[in-house]
Amino acid sequence: KQTIDLRTIKKFHSAENFANNYFDSKLKNTGELLKSSAIYGANASGKSNLIKAVFAFNYVAFNRGNKINNRKKNERIEPYEPFALDNKFNKEPTEFEIDFIAEKTRYRFSFGYDNNKIHYEKLEYLKENSASNNFKLIYHWQFDKNNQLKVNFSDDFQGSKDRALEILQNTQNNLFLFLNVNEDGNKFLNPIYNWIGKKLFIAFDHDNFEETVRWVRKDPKNKKLTLDLIKKFDLGIKDFKFEEIDIPKKFFEDPKVP
């Protein structure tokens, strides 16, 4: 289990280097949050795994790489990389949990999956003016040991529960939240859907260069954000552009090219 926590620590507030690196969430139950965080460590210490985890979360949620957002029945779920060096965990589901703020509400969204199916999914929330940290359930579904679907939609779930149950019963390998928004047009879940889709992404991942290029080319604002970040590293790069070229066919047929 690995966790990254962007809540502030009071003792650092007066430090000159940290003075401008936090902001008030304006939620009683949350307090101040970091604007940015640096992750460092020795080679092979797991830094890249955090980046890959965020990518995997987004990929599973939106079925990236597939022109159809929803996976077909019995379609394998990728990426799935259990911890292979421990017999206790090498066949266990991969689990994710994310705690975030969208439209003045704090949400906690979690799910577990393997190559074959989503094992469970859970959405909770904290009201804007709630003084406690007790999350309230919106919905929770899971498959039990007998592969029977167990569903709990709380009174705080908005929308047709019968329609939601129908959607759930027709899939085992898609996340309900994203199906419900796409198939049922449930606007109640839009803030969560939009936050994950627009805020949770990897801008620079050397293992996913093509996805990064597509993101930068999609919107001039994305290119500006990228340039602003590059300039902070003082690399002398002022601008960049993309140019598509045709690679000669013989290049791919050359046995010396890996």
Side-chain angles (χ1 to χ4, degrees), residues 71-77 115-117 170-174:
R71 297 178 187 86
K72 296 179 181 179
K73 189 175 181 179
N74 298 324
E75 182 179 346
R76 290 171 64 84
I77 303 174
N115 266 147
N116 301 311
K117 69 179 181 181
N170 289 326
T171 184
Q172 287 192 353
N173 57 357
N174 289 283

Side-chain angles (χ1 to χ4, degrees), residues 29-42:
N29 48 46
T30 303
E32 295 169 335
L33 300 172
L34 292 172
K35 294 179 182 179
S36 62
S37 181
I39 301 171
Y40 62 93

Side-chain angles (χ1 to χ4, degrees), residues 101-159:
I101 299 170
E103 296 188 6
K104 299 182 179 180
T105 300
R106 184 172 165 187
Y107 294 96
R108 186 162 63 193
F109 179 63
S110 58
F111 63 89
Y113 73 98
D114 60 22
N115 266 147
N116 301 311
K117 69 179 181 181
I118 307 292
H119 284 253
Y120 72 88
E121 181 181 350
K122 189 175 185 180
L123 179 64
E124 304 165 285
Y125 80 107
L126 280 174
K127 290 185 176 179
E128 180 180 355
N129 296 317
S130 174
S132 72
N133 279 322
N134 296 323
F135 280 81
K136 296 186 66 177
L137 181 70
I138 296 178
Y139 70 82
H140 179 209
W141 67 267
Q142 64 181 339
F143 288 102
D144 63 17
K145 294 181 179 179
N146 297 318
N147 203 35
Q148 297 298 307
L149 179 64
K150 304 295 183 182
V151 183
N152 181 8
F153 291 105
S154 76
D155 291 337
D156 291 313
F157 178 82
Q158 297 179 23

Side-chain angles (χ1 to χ4, degrees), residues 39-242:
I39 301 171
Y40 62 93
N43 290 342
S45 63
K47 301 185 298 298
S48 297
N49 285 344
L50 177 62
I51 296 175
K52 291 179 179 179
V54 175
F55 174 75
F57 183 108
N58 199 288
Y59 198 97
V60 172
F62 288 97
N63 195 19
R64 304 292 192 191
N66 194 328
K67 293 181 180 180
I68 302 174
N69 284 336
N70 302 340
R71 297 178 187 86
K72 296 179 181 179
K73 189 175 181 179
N74 298 324
E75 182 179 346
R76 290 171 64 84
I77 303 174
E78 301 289 353
Y80 171 63
E81 298 180 10
F83 188 61
L85 301 180
D86 191 321
N87 291 332
K88 183 179 179 181
F89 295 102
N90 61 9
K91 294 182 180 180
E92 290 296 309
T94 293
E95 297 179 288
F96 287 109
E97 180 180 289
I98 184 166
D99 185 336
F100 62 97
I101 299 170
E103 296 188 6
K104 299 182 179 180
T105 300
R106 184 172 165 187
Y107 294 96
R108 186 162 63 193
F109 179 63
S110 58
F111 63 89
Y113 73 98
D114 60 22
N115 266 147
N116 301 311
K117 69 179 181 181
I118 307 292
H119 284 253
Y120 72 88
E121 181 181 350
K122 189 175 185 180
L123 179 64
E124 304 165 285
Y125 80 107
L126 280 174
K127 290 185 176 179
E128 180 180 355
N129 296 317
S130 174
S132 72
N133 279 322
N134 296 323
F135 280 81
K136 296 186 66 177
L137 181 70
I138 296 178
Y139 70 82
H140 179 209
W141 67 267
Q142 64 181 339
F143 288 102
D144 63 17
K145 294 181 179 179
N146 297 318
N147 203 35
Q148 297 298 307
L149 179 64
K150 304 295 183 182
V151 183
N152 181 8
F153 291 105
S154 76
D155 291 337
D156 291 313
F157 178 82
Q158 297 179 23
S160 170
K161 294 181 181 180
D162 290 338
R163 173 58 178 152
L165 183 59
E166 179 186 350
I167 292 173
L168 271 174
Q169 290 173 333
N170 289 326
T171 184
Q172 287 192 353
N173 57 357
N174 289 283
L175 288 169
F176 165 76
L177 188 153
F178 304 91
L179 283 177
N180 196 239
V181 171
N182 289 331
E183 295 189 8
D184 198 37
N186 192 333
K187 295 181 179 179
F188 166 64
L189 298 176
N190 273 350
I192 304 102
Y193 181 95
N194 290 334
W195 191 94
I196 294 173
K198 295 179 180 180
K199 302 290 186 180
L200 186 68
F201 64 89
I202 299 298
F204 291 94
D205 178 9
H206 59 78
D207 291 332
N208 192 35
F209 180 73
E210 290 184 6
E211 189 76 20
T212 301
V213 170
R214 282 194 290 269
W215 179 81
V216 172
R217 297 182 69 177
K218 183 179 179 180
D219 190 325
K221 293 180 180 179
N222 295 344
K223 180 179 178 180
K224 183 180 182 304
L225 287 171
T226 305
L227 276 173
D228 289 345
L229 179 61
I230 291 175
K231 289 175 182 178
K232 290 182 183 297
F233 290 103
D234 196 22
L235 299 174
I237 299 175
K238 296 182 179 181
D239 195 6
F240 61 84
K241 65 178 181 179
F242 297 103

